[in-house]
Amino acid sequence: MPNTRYIFITGGVASSLGKGVTIASIGALLEARGFKVTIQKMDPYINEDPGTMSPFQHGEVYVTEDGAETDLDLGYYERFTNSKLTKLNSITTGQIYKTVIERERQGEYQGRTVQVIPHITNEIKSRILKLKNADPELDFILVEIGGTVGDIESVPFLEAIRQFRFDNGREKTLYIHLTLVPTISVAGEIKTKPTQHSVKELLKQGIQPDILISRATKPLTPEIKWKISQFTNVPSDRVFSAADIDYTIYEVPLNLHQERIDDVIIQYFGMESVSPLFQGEMNPMLQKWEKIVDYFKNPATTVKIAIVGKYVEVSDAYRSLYEALWHGGFPHNCKVEYIKIDSEKITPENYKEYLSGIQGILVPGGFGNRGVEGKLISIRYARESKIPYFGICLGMQCAVIEYARNVLGLEGANSTEFNPDTPHPVIHIMDEQIGIDKMGGTTRKGAYPCQIQDNTRMEEAYEQKTIHERHRHRYEFNNLYLDQYLRKGLVVSGVSPDNKLVEAVELSRNNHPWFVGTQFHPEFQSKPHKPHPLFVKFIEAAIQYQKVNP
Ligand code: GLN
């Protein structure tokens, strides 16, 4: 049984430095040596999960196969590594306190005062160990502590990982601290002081980092590394730069490898450089990443896809989607540029201005009525002008509504989410769901099977009869209207195995070059090394559209 090692990453100086991408990249480098890894995120906020948070606040809510609504960093973990993430991989302060308080109510603490130390910290530590119990074969468990060192909220988590080393030994635990080393633009000077302070802050919590990674505009010089080392007790050969990337985040594993961080980690733990079970060579694994970066550097073509959504000004609100679009371009050596369009701004008068010069339209998932009419206008344009269209979740529901209004002639057709009194509720909540209206935890979430119909775009993409895709929604296609749709040419190309739920609709290839809507979110399963087939086909259609409409 492998001797599991634990790597913790904390962040300092500023938020949004890319801890998630950094730890995911380290995971990828360890996997390239044949080791088995998983990655866990600890989020210090009090929400039980980000499921009820607005994407304006929090960015995308990533959904795991077992239906956990999690931080978008888990998306990076799954895209960069082979680890299969579950509910166990995402922890929040809310979950920890909830468990401890429930236990207290049941009298499990036998009259003792329940305190942050040891009760909360013990619960946090036990959540790390649960991962090991779930998969004893793991060589590494990587843990990202959300937030920034110095935040009040993260103190119990830092204390828990401090204790974790005390419990398990230095030889099994490694602390990485990611900081910012800014350059003052006027003087062009590189400043190490914020990093010095950040490490002091960590020391106050009893944690001496073993490795520092510094985000900087350019790679750090040996002198700067030496200076950081002098102030932080971290040997200068364990101070690494994470310089700004040139083309894509997929450069990060390669950049960190060039800095030899994976060698240092392996040496730190006194391990063999590759897993004893490892058959292959490391270089081919890295070449796979090089190839990905090359798609961004030297694409043969570029297509533009309009994403007509509500949360367009938040850079991370559709993170998995943006990446799935890139991935869809890889097999065609095509660079995908996404143009984010605020659907609220689209009107019957101006839509062509917004949607000119694009080769595909995508309406992503979303909640609430705002901006829906702009989405319907865009979908009508895609359908009538034969522009490739991909509707995901809400984007499929909107395609169904648009078809009802403009093809079936059902005036005022809508989803009961947007108009509970609509005369034609073509999207509705199913009877068995009525009555569950508590916020959070009531949606259909996680992976469900779907049966694919023959001779459809879906079949052409998946080349399979049964697929499993992840969901996150409450409303469904209303089967009372099914016959009307079928008579008017809408193709139902995916259904649940019991035939009760419509999971995918499309237009037949005689009527449209590519028009597909899915009730599930395929973007959650797309990886750079394994682009999702629906995205591959959507981009193929966009390239074709460009050839015909240069
Ligand atoms: N709001 C819709 C529903 O709940 C769609 C959700 C989504 O797009 N993720 O069914």
Side-chain angles (χ1 to χ4, degrees), residues 312-510:
V312 287
E313 66 263 44
V314 189
S315 70
D316 273 336
Y318 305 116
R319 176 49 46 206
S320 299
L321 189 63
Y322 302 148
E323 293 197 31
L325 283 169
W326 295 338
H327 306 161
F330 294 163
H332 312 296
N333 200 4
C334 169
K335 184 170 155 202
V336 179
E337 277 178 23
Y338 47 83
I339 317 291
K340 300 192 256 179
I341 299 175
D342 181 354
S343 59
E344 265 197 299
K345 300 217 169 90
I346 294 190
T347 65
E349 292 74 43
N350 70 12
Y351 68 93
K352 280 197 181 156
E353 288 158 42
Y354 278 104
L355 297 170
S356 68
I358 50 104
Q359 288 82 40
I361 296 177
L362 190 150
V363 173
F367 292 83
N369 192 22
R370 198 148 63 78
V372 163
E373 293 303 319
K375 291 175 189 171
L376 297 177
I377 294 166
S378 312
I379 295 169
R380 179 175 198 170
Y381 180 50
R383 184 174 56 78
E384 294 181 341
S385 302
K386 310 217 182 294
I387 302 167
Y389 174 74
F390 196 0
I392 294 179
C393 204
L394 181 66
M396 170 200 141
Q397 297 176 353
C398 285
V400 167
I401 297 168
E402 190 278 323
Y403 210 77
R405 290 189 192 175
N406 302 318
V407 182
L408 308 188
L410 302 176
E411 214 177 302
N414 215 332
S415 163
T416 53
E417 178 180 9
F418 313 135
N419 177 8
D421 304 319
T422 169
H424 298 292
V426 290
I427 303 289
H428 70 156
I429 294 198
M430 304 228 321
D431 287 345
E432 33 274 51
Q433 291 169 291
I434 291 175
I436 336 173
D437 55 6
K438 204 170 84 202
M439 284 287 279
T442 58
T443 39
R444 186 162 163 238
K445 286 178 302 197
Y448 286 88
C450 165
Q451 224 71 46
I452 294 182
Q453 307 301 309
D454 292 345
N455 299 319
T456 57
R457 296 285 183 205
M458 284 277 285
E459 191 198 27
E460 182 182 86
Y462 284 96
E463 298 176 323
Q464 276 176 45
K465 290 272 172 260
T466 308
I467 54 160
H468 288 81
E469 291 282 5
R470 299 184 198 173
H471 292 244
R472 179 175 184 249
H473 60 107
R474 299 180 69 203
Y475 294 82
E476 305 279 356
F477 182 96
N478 185 346
N479 287 326
L480 288 178
Y481 291 88
L482 183 61
D483 280 344
Q484 286 193 60
Y485 277 102
L486 296 178
R487 263 186 270 125
K488 288 279 189 181
L490 190 77
V491 178
V492 170
S493 51
V495 290
S496 59
D498 62 5
N499 230 341
K500 279 197 182 151
L501 302 172
V502 169
E503 306 284 36
V505 297
E506 57 187 72
L507 295 181
S508 80
R509 67 191 75 222
N510 307 331

Side-chain angles (χ1 to χ4, degrees), residues 192 219-230 232 234-241 259:
T192 64
L220 304 183
T221 60
E223 293 72 33
I224 295 286
K225 286 186 177 179
W226 181 83
K227 189 171 172 193
I228 292 174
S229 170
Q230 292 301 298
T232 59
V234 178
S236 60
D237 59 359
R238 289 203 202 147
V239 179
F240 299 95
S241 334
E259 289 263 312

